[in-house]
Amino acid sequence: MKTLRKSLGLIALALTVSFQSFAQSPGSGNAYDFNSNYISVPHNASLNPSFITLEAWIKADSWATNVWENVIISKDGWASGDQGYVLRAGANGTLSFNFSGAGSWVELNSASGAMVTGQWYHVAATYDGTTMRIYINGTEVGSQTYVGSINTGTYDLTIGRAAYTVGGTRYFDGVIDEVRVWSEGLPQTSILDYMCQKVTASHPQYASLGGYWNFDAAGIATDSSPNGNDGTVIGATQLASGAAIGDESLYSFGGPVDMTIAYGVIDSVQIESLAAVEPIHVYRVDMTPNVTTTPSSIVQIDDSHYYGVFDGGSSTYDMSYYYDGNSMAPGNEPYLNLAGRTDGTNTIWFTQNATVNLPSSKVEKTLSARVEVMLAAICPSISLNVSGAQTVCVGDTISLFDQASNSNYQWNDANGVIIGATGNALDVWTAGDYYLVANNGICTDTSATVNFTVSPYPTADFGTLSTTYCVTDLDDNFAGGTPAGGTYSGTGVAGGTAFSPSTAGAGTYMLYYTYANASGCSDMDSLEVTVNAQPSQPVITWNLLLDTAQELCTDGCGAGSTLEWFLDGTSIQNGTDLCHFVTSNGIYTVSCTYDGCSSDTSASYLIDDLGVASLIGVDLVSISPNPTTDFISISLGSYENTEFNVTLIDASGRVLVKKSHIGSSIELDLTDYGTGMYIVSVETANGAVTKKVMKN
């Protein structure tokens, strides 16, 4: 809860009174909304000048098709000859000034589309006997020469409608304020000097003021000139005005801009811009605004006066609000800011997010639009890092802290002040309600209450699962995790329901079972799982250890692995060595196992050439020379004219030579083969003999 907002409306009352002139509403006060209605002012000689200036603030809701519609000020007619004058704004926002001169109408128009709907403009028209001029926001938008005087008439002056309605009522659709009629053509400097401030007797052309209607009085259009030309309101609706009107104003036309307007010695506003081209005005209102509503974040305002900036174009400018004489400043400088609105039709003054420059005693803001501002104080709010209901698990601590920048702190619980808890943070581990009170001079804030509940931790159990797998094993479902409803996680966990050895790959992993109760307190149990790699697939080679012994060998799967030989898919008893003596025809395979994981079975090796026992004596077959470097001679001894086959095989089992011969001997050429061990097989109808040959 913030402190009560305080208004400084009575500050410097003497100064405020000295700034007042007529009894008027603050700033632009009130205006009238016209559509199918108008204000009528009786004919008076003071409103029948030979030379003239017409002024008004307008905001159109729509534009009529023709330039002679959307009448702002009218005292013209043609029932008994052309008479009088009119200021209007039809034809898509075209400003038009027309009067009767020597029995004919003289008209001056701005460019089409000079104004848009929904936006406030100051419009003016002047005629000094030689030149007609029209202005929008103080900028001349048209001129033409005419020598003579206005042909005056006896029509009533009307605001918001044509005075003579035979040709149509020509209503203005929108809001009009600050209507002024002068009996001379004012110079542009006078228009600029007073377009954003109320007219008083200090105006240099005050003696020529024929009528001045600020529409601040209710029910009657009171004339604030000395002539008493009060008007009758016929159907028009009074409302808050958005015209940029103050008690004093300054303007700059062109650039660069550097102007300052002060409220006595209390404070001042400086406007600076390097790029302004259109007229830019700064004005001061020496009264409390029509509304002082602000957001709750603004805890104090000085509404005794306020400032405004009206930009006739779209300039970007820097505003500096110097507060060094304002009684709001002492002790509150870090919290000073600006409350602002676009114009008097706004019902809320919003924070402008300005920056305090303490060394220069000013609040700064860069703007690019119309604004009205007054000095404000914004207290920093408590911004706790947590809010609402919170749960603390047994033994845990939560640190509450204020994320904003406050000065003085006091923590409280359900029993009141917590002794010694005066920092911006508080560690909480017990159940209860906690809140913070912060104080910064004029600013006091109390945080919302945070309620803490203490909850016990659950005890999680992983459940059952093997601890050793082969990478080729199927997924293994989790089971028995308690309390039920927890989650499994870790490398290889598939869908939260099973462990996948193939997904995890070879290695050792930690798997977890996590369970959290309804209060968010959680526990975790873990299990270490090892996934062993699959041994590589073994390769079978053929070998001879003895001249007559045939065997199959493999290099295995590495150190520590175990082997198993198979014949036609059946395990061979005691077949666990690297080499196996072949005793039967058939399909031989081998696999190996390491860390409980089996390799893929080797490629099959077919043995189909084992016959009856050899009838050829080993000693009857000779090979020479052995070792050899090129040729070998194979002799069958006493077997003459015998048909036999000779096969030469290298150490890897590749057949190099295979010949059939009739006789008792044959010669083989080993010249093209490398050094190493070779096998020579001699086969006859009676049997076979194999022998080793070494080539050097």
Side-chain angles (χ1 to χ4, degrees), residues 342-364:
T342 55
D343 59 51
T345 62
N346 295 98
T347 58
I348 296 179
W349 294 73
F350 290 101
T351 302
Q352 295 299 293
N353 297 317
T355 302
V356 179
N357 185 329
L358 293 177
S360 300
S361 298
K362 64 181 179 179
V363 183
E364 301 172 307

Side-chain angles (χ1 to χ4, degrees), residues 616 621 634 636 644-647 680-684 687-690:
I616 303 176
V621 177
I634 303 171
L636 271 64
F644 62 94
N645 296 321
V646 176
T647 302
V680 176
S681 173
V682 179
E683 299 178 74
T684 70
V689 171
T690 58

Side-chain angles (χ1 to χ4, degrees), residues 59 63 111 123 189 196 261 276 284 453 546 665-666:
K59 184 181 75 169
W63 304 116
V123 294
T189 53
C196 287
I261 190 167
R284 186 194 69 245
T453 302
L546 300 173
S665 64
I666 189 173

Side-chain angles (χ1 to χ4, degrees), residues 409-411 420-426 436:
Y409 298 95
Q410 179 59 65
W411 291 93
T422 56
N424 73 327
L426 178 70
L436 173 64

Side-chain angles (χ1 to χ4, degrees), residues 238-323:
Q238 191 178 42
L239 42 67
S241 175
I245 301 295
D247 293 280
E248 184 179 345
S249 68
L250 299 173
Y251 75 91
S252 179
F253 198 169
V257 175
D258 186 356
M259 51 185 174
T260 300
I261 190 167
Y263 186 65
V265 296
I266 304 301
D267 50 33
S268 62
V269 164
Q270 180 184 27
I271 301 299
E272 296 177 284
S273 174
L274 296 176
V277 175
E278 297 291 338
I280 183 170
H281 297 254
V282 57
Y283 57 92
R284 186 194 69 245
V285 181
D286 301 330
M287 298 177 68
T288 299
N290 55 343
V291 292
T292 57
T293 306
T294 61
S296 59
S297 58
I298 297 179
V299 298
Q300 189 173 356
I301 56 173
D302 178 3
D303 58 8
S304 63
H305 62 289
Y306 59 98
Y307 298 90
V309 177
F310 179 79
D311 181 7
S314 56
S315 306
T316 296
Y317 56 92
D318 295 322
M319 173 184 285
S320 296
Y321 193 120
Y322 289 89
Y323 55 78

Side-chain angles (χ1 to χ4, degrees), residues 550 580-585 588 610:
Q550 188 171 194
H580 176 67
F581 290 100
V582 176
T583 59
S584 303
N585 288 325
Y588 287 85
L610 293 181

Side-chain angles (χ1 to χ4, degrees), residues 456-463 480-488 511-517 521-527:
Y457 279 100
T459 300
D461 183 85
F462 191 94
T482 57
T487 57
Y488 287 96
L511 305 183
Y512 303 95
Y513 179 74
T514 304
Y515 175 81
N517 59 25
C521 300
S522 63
D523 188 36
M524 177 188 294
D525 191 23
S526 62
L527 181 69

